[in-house]
């Protein structure tokens, strides 16, 4: 299958701004970049994404995939990002059928960043069948630890969400395949979706785990499920729709994951508990 | 001026779900409710908002106002929320001119929650003139403290954003007029906008201050400015577009406000520094 041609238009991720603090002292702080990127599909304007700009081509690819506007990688001929005009030009090989209809319905959701889901995503939930796949408590701890030591834009500038894809093939370890940050966390997960698509069409997903710094909203759960990833971990909590959809899908949703603590909100049958690894001092924490 | 008729359809704010923790102990956790609310204007579908459901009528009113779909309160005859059908029916007195055109353009932004801004909001920034208005460091500390002691859904269930409107008439105090939480922080600020509109058309805003638990994104800054509130405080940071627009508007944007620390990112001329109130031990913190 021919891969699409992609530019590699990474932009600087942080900016310095002047500040004044509570002592009246002037200083300089690093803040995350935030750039508008207007996506055109075959010269028709689709959407403007506000992004950090780390991997704009993967972001656009993942956005098209997660919005179900494109079903196969070979539909895309090229994605050309030009920051001078703040535009991503997508060229398809055969056009997108019913483009106007399929982008007409708008749902404003809870999530950060890509808060706009074009209609019909919820309709799809019923048709998703997730692969087998479990996670051991030791693997979960390895993931939390890998995130903890990661050097990030968040650490230097704050105000971004991070998202990572892990592969859990070893019994007590986890391999970080990709780590993406963006001003919107849905941009981060879309970027991962785009990257996954470029790797190989038949990449197995039963052994993959998503990690996000943001809340487990319905959108995060659905996007993970759409990509066939059956386990999602967050250091934040979960919303009601997120929990309900995870339960319905049989997706393992683990929140509040910091240090040795976590709460599994749904799909606990995918979690191989090893309570002997937990911190006995935290025994009373709910 | 006739006020619109509003229902008062508050819904339960939290739900209990079963969990399992790292000790293998089963428990029950409170999570925030998250309900779809589809807004119909004169029977035409406008948008579906995902909301906690605390003040759905104010939310819808503020959404219409902040999207500039409605310019005066007397355009609205009624807002009727019915959770059984997850719908808010808005009845206008004279219809909304060019409804279809004005809701056609879509920008997916950084913010949580209402991430979809109908086109043209940025065009308006240039025309906004903010009122005079300053904040003393003592007032800022009073606001941070009032938020700290507030009993919240966040404390009981996590995963929501809070937003508050303060009035600073006393030299070293601040009066909390309204505190709103929602699964999306743009819902929270829209709810405050709706409430402000209902109070009085000519409510002075030079002495008002917004507080948000979320990041200072471009949308948060613009929405505050649209309501004439010249000072915004957050315990989080700021994004590049947020900082740039605040600077352009002369809006005072203060982030990282916890305890006695804060960073002013823009509009520092509105901040009356009282460094003698700062914690001298934190002198080295940037």
């Amino acid at each position: 299958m021919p891969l699409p041609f992609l530019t590699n238009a990474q932009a600087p991720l942080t900016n310095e701004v002047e500040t004044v603090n509570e002592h009246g002292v002037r200083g300089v702080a690093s803040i995350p970049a935030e750039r508008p990127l207007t996506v055109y599909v075959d010269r028709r304007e689709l959407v403007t994404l506000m992004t950090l700009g780390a991997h704009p081509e993967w972001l656009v690819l993942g956005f098209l995939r997660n919005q179900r506007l494109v079903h196969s990688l070979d539909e895309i001929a090229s994605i050309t990002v030009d920051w001078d005009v703040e535009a991503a030009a997508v060229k398809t090989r055969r056009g997108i059928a019913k483009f106007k209809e399929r982008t007409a319905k708008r749902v404003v959701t809870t999530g950060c960043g890509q808060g706009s889901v074009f209609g019909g995503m919820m309709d799809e939930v019923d048709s998703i069948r997730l692969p087998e796949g479990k996670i051991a408590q030791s693997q979960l701890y390895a993931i939390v630890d890998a995130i903890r030591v990661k050097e990030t834009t968040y650490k230097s500038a704050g105000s971004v969400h991070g998202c990572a894809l892990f592969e859990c093939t070893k019994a007590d370890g986890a391999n970080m395949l990709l780590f993406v940050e963006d001003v919107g966390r849905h941009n981060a997960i879309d970027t991962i979706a785009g990257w996954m698509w470029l790797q190989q069409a038949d990449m197995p997903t039963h052994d993959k785990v998503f990690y996000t710094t943001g809340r487990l909203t319905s959108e995060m759960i659905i996007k993970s499920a759409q990509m066939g990833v059956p386990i999602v971990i967050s250091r934040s909590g979960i919303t009601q729709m997120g929990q309900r959809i995870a339960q319905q899908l049989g997706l393992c949703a683990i929140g509040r994951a910091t240090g040795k603590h976590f709460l599994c909100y749904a799909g606990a049958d995918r979690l191989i508990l090893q309570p002997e690894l937990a911190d006995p001092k935290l025994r009373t924490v709910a």
Side-chain angles (χ1 to χ4, degrees), chain A:
Chain A
M1 190 167 70
L3 286 182
F5 169 79
L6 304 181
T7 52
N8 185 12
Q10 204 200 51
L13 304 186
T14 59
N15 261 280
E16 303 217 310
V17 294
E18 283 184 23
T19 58
V20 56
N21 73 7
E22 73 273 23
H23 302 286
V25 175
R26 289 183 184 277
V28 166
S30 244
I31 61 171
E34 185 184 22
R35 306 159 198 286
L37 183 67
T38 301
V39 181
Y40 297 85
V41 178
D42 295 331
R43 296 172 186 267
R44 279 178 300 192
E45 186 175 335
L46 173 64
V47 73
T48 299
L49 302 168
M50 297 299 300
T51 176
L52 190 67
H55 305 289
E57 298 84 3
W58 299 347
L59 167 61
V60 171
L61 189 61
F63 182 86
L64 295 173
R65 181 190 185 186
N66 281 343
Q67 298 289 347
R68 295 302 196 233
L69 292 171
V70 169
H71 297 273
S72 168
L73 203 54
D74 71 355
E75 293 177 44
I76 309 281
S78 63
I79 300 177
T80 308
V81 172
D82 183 347
W83 286 116
D84 288 340
V85 291
E86 296 174 340
V90 180
K91 220 175 129 187
T92 68
R93 291 188 202 277
R94 297 177 294 272
I96 291 182
K98 298 185 190 169
F99 182 84
K100 209 169 168 183
E101 282 170 45
R102 287 162 66 195
T103 59
K105 201 170 171 185
R106 181 194 290 121
V107 181
V108 178
T109 57
T110 306
C112 284
Q114 184 198 314
S116 181
V117 183
F118 300 121
M121 194 186 263
M122 279 298 293
D123 306 342
E124 217 188 81
V125 168
D126 283 336
S127 69
I128 296 175
R129 295 284 166 272
L130 286 173
E132 300 288 308
K134 289 179 183 267
I135 184 168
Q137 194 160 337
S138 55
Q139 292 170 321
L140 197 164
Y141 286 162
I143 288 171
V144 171
D145 206 53
I147 294 290
R148 190 181 55 78
V149 301
K150 180 91 189 145
E151 278 309 311
T152 60
T153 302
Y154 181 80
K155 283 181 190 161
S156 69
S159 294
V160 291
H161 280 292
C163 207
L165 182 67
F166 285 88
E167 186 174 61
C168 292
T169 42
K170 283 186 295 179
D172 57 356
N175 180 25
M176 192 190 287
L177 297 177
L178 185 66
F179 178 84
V180 177
E181 291 179 301
D182 209 310
V183 278
R185 88 190 113 129
H186 289 286
N187 286 346
I189 196 170
D190 280 350
T191 303
I192 288 181
W195 178 85
M196 280 175 79
W197 230 12
L198 290 169
Q199 301 319 299
Q200 51 186 91
D202 56 348
M203 186 190 233
T205 58
H206 69 277
D207 56 356
K208 301 294 183 296
V209 176
F210 266 120
Y211 176 92
T212 170
T213 59
R215 292 174 293 167
L216 300 171
T217 62
S218 48
E219 258 189 296
M220 294 302 280
I221 300 292
I222 292 172
K223 287 188 174 184
S224 181
Q226 282 181 324
M227 286 177 282
V229 175
I231 294 155
V232 180
I233 299 171
S234 169
R235 68 169 160 227
S236 298
I238 197 165
T239 64
Q240 185 185 351
M241 295 284 284
Q243 196 271 343
R244 197 177 289 172
I245 294 170
Q247 203 161 41
Q248 185 182 336
L249 288 165
L251 182 146
C252 181
I254 297 169
R256 306 273 169 230
T258 49
K260 298 285 183 193
H261 179 56
F262 63 79
L263 280 182
C264 179
Y265 294 107
D269 52 310
R270 291 184 184 270
L271 176 61
I272 302 165
L273 285 161
Q274 296 160 309
E276 66 279 11
L277 300 179
D279 183 345
K281 290 197 296 288
L282 294 177
R283 183 79 207 181
T284 53
V285 176

